[in-house]
Amino acid sequence: MPNNLWAQPTLQNHLYKSRYCITNMSDQNKIQKIVRELQADLPLTSYPFKEIAQRCDMTEDELLEAIKNLQEKGIIRRFGAVVRHQRMGITANGMGVWIVPPEDAGRVGKIMATFREVSHCYQRPTFPDWPYNLFTMIHSSTVAECEDVAARISEATGIKDYKLLFSSREFKKVSMVYF
Amino acid sequence: MDKLDKLIMNRIQGDFPLTGQPYKQLAQELNIAEDELLTRLRVLKERGIIRRLGAVFDSKKLGFSSTLVAAQVPEEKIDKAVAVINAYPGVTHNYQRAAEYNVWFTLIAESQERIEQILQEISDKTGAQKILNLPAVSFYKIKVNFNV
C-alpha cells in the first residue's frame, strides 16, 4: 500500500463526490486519516483518543472535535462496539423479503421499522424472477420466534406475500476498510 | 456472559463517550473500576462477542456505493464461488441461504460502475447462473443496539 493513498485518483475523488461539503484537500486528508484509525479498533487504554490523535498529527481536542463533527454530519453513523450477535445468544437471523405495492412501501416500511427484532429495513429493486421489494433483517434467539415476528409484521402491515430466508452458513463478516 | 458483561454489552454499542478518558466515564456509569471494565472488554473481544470497537461509517456519505447481491450458485460450486467473492475487500457480509438465490453478500465499492464491474467479474469466475444487484432505494431502519 502506498503511503499517500490520495495519489490514487479514485480514492482522491471519494470525498469530493460526497455531498457532505468536504471540499478542501487538507480537510479530506484529515478525515481520511481519522477514518483509517476509527474503522479499526479503539485502543483499550486509559487515553485511547490521545494515541490516535498522535498518529493523526493533531491534538486530542482537535480529534474529539473532528469526531463529533463527523457524527453531526452523519458520516459516522454510530460509535461503539460492533457485536457478533450470534455470540450474544441472538442466534436466529432471518431475512424477511416482502412483496409490497410500491405506492404502499413507505407506510409498510415505517410499520416494519417499529419492530424491535427488525434491525434493518430497506426497499430494493425488483426483477422479473425476484418480485420482493422490502427487506427486513429479523433477529431472535430461535427460528420459531423469527417466524412469529414475521407473522406479526404480516398482520400489522396486511402484507401476506413474504418469505423468511435463514442463513445456513456464514462465509464472511468483516468491517469495511475504506482507506 | 454474566450480568455485568450484559450491562457492559448493552451500554457499549453506542453513545461512546467522546472524552479524554472514555472508559473511565463508562466505568463510572456502570459503577465499576476502569481496570475492571478494560479487562472485561478485552475478554469480550477475545471471545469474539465484540467484533470491533470503533466508528461505523455511512459508506454513502464517505462517497462510496453499496449494494446487496443475490447469486444463484450450483451447490457443488459454492465453495469455489465463495472464495472468489470473499477475495474482494468490499465484500463485508456473505451468507448461504436456503432459496433459489442461495448466496447473499453485501458489497461496498468506490462507485456504481465499479460494483457493476466486480459483479461481472464474479459472474465470469464463479459460474453463478444469475446475479441480482439490489442496492437499497429507501431506508426505513438501520438498527443500533442488540440488547441482552
Side-chain angles (χ1 to χ4, degrees), chain B residues 14-28:
Chain B
D15 201 17
F16 193 86
L18 296 173
T19 57
Q21 293 176 273
Y23 301 111
K24 193 175 175 184
Q25 186 176 322
L26 284 170
Q28 277 167 358

Side-chain angles (χ1 to χ4, degrees), chain A residues 43-148:
Chain A
L44 288 172
T45 53
S46 288
Y47 298 88
F49 294 115
K50 206 173 197 170
E51 290 179 36
I52 291 177
Q54 276 165 1
R55 292 199 288 264
C56 291
D57 295 316
M58 53 182 90
T59 67
E60 189 186 37
D61 282 345
E62 281 168 351
L63 173 68
L64 290 170
E65 210 43 52
I67 295 174
K68 284 173 195 161
N69 193 260
L70 290 172
Q71 264 186 341
E72 275 159 26
K73 286 181 173 153
I75 294 175
I76 291 177
R77 226 170 49 205
R78 172 165 79 84
F79 202 111
V82 179
V83 304
R84 283 198 184 81
H85 43 76
Q86 291 92 336
R87 297 195 191 172
M88 291 174 73
I90 305 166
T91 48
N93 307 285
M95 187 175 74
V97 294
W98 310 77
I99 301 178
V100 181
E103 65 278 9
D104 207 18
R107 179 190 71 87
V108 171
K110 283 184 195 102
I111 296 173
M112 290 173 167
T114 63
F115 281 76
R116 185 176 55 85
E117 298 87 348
V118 170
S119 66
H120 298 71
C121 181
Y122 298 156
Q123 186 179 359
R124 299 183 183 280
T126 57
F127 290 85
D129 68 335
W130 185 261
Y132 302 91
N133 57 343
L134 257 68
F135 286 65
T136 52
M137 289 309 306
I138 300 174
H139 304 269
S140 196
S141 49
T142 65
V143 166
E145 274 178 30
C146 286
E147 283 166 348
D148 178 62

Side-chain angles (χ1 to χ4, degrees), chain A residues 14 18 78 119 124 129, chain B residues 13 61 101 110 134 143:
Chain A
H14 280 147
S18 171
R78 172 165 79 84
S119 66
R124 299 183 183 280
D129 68 335
Chain B
Q13 293 177 62
K61 290 185 180 177
Y101 286 93
E110 51 263 38
L134 302 167
K143 190 176 175 165

Side-chain angles (χ1 to χ4, degrees), chain A residues 141-173:
Chain A
S141 49
T142 65
V143 166
E145 274 178 30
C146 286
E147 283 166 348
D148 178 62
V149 172
R152 284 190 282 124
I153 291 174
S154 175
E155 184 82 5
T157 56
I159 303 301
K160 308 282 178 220
D161 242 338
Y162 71 93
K163 285 197 295 195
L164 204 47
L165 307 180
F166 289 94
S167 57
S168 49
R169 280 163 86 189
E170 180 182 293
F171 297 127
K172 190 176 186 184
K173 192 172 188 183

Side-chain angles (χ1 to χ4, degrees), chain B residues 65-122:
Chain B
S65 297
S66 67
T67 191
L68 174 71
V69 182
Q72 250 177 56
V73 183
E75 189 67 37
E76 70 278 8
K77 289 185 179 168
I78 281 193
D79 288 347
K80 196 176 161 260
V82 165
V84 170
I85 293 164
N86 284 1
Y88 290 93
V91 171
T92 56
H93 296 63
N94 188 2
Y95 296 96
Q96 182 169 4
R97 298 186 188 277
E100 205 184 335
Y101 286 93
N102 53 347
V103 177
W104 291 80
F105 61 93
T106 57
L107 174 61
I108 300 174
E110 51 263 38
S111 64
Q112 283 296 339
E113 296 71 36
R114 180 61 187 141
I115 282 180
E116 296 285 347
Q117 191 186 357
I118 290 172
L119 295 185
Q120 187 58 54
E121 289 169 12
I122 287 174

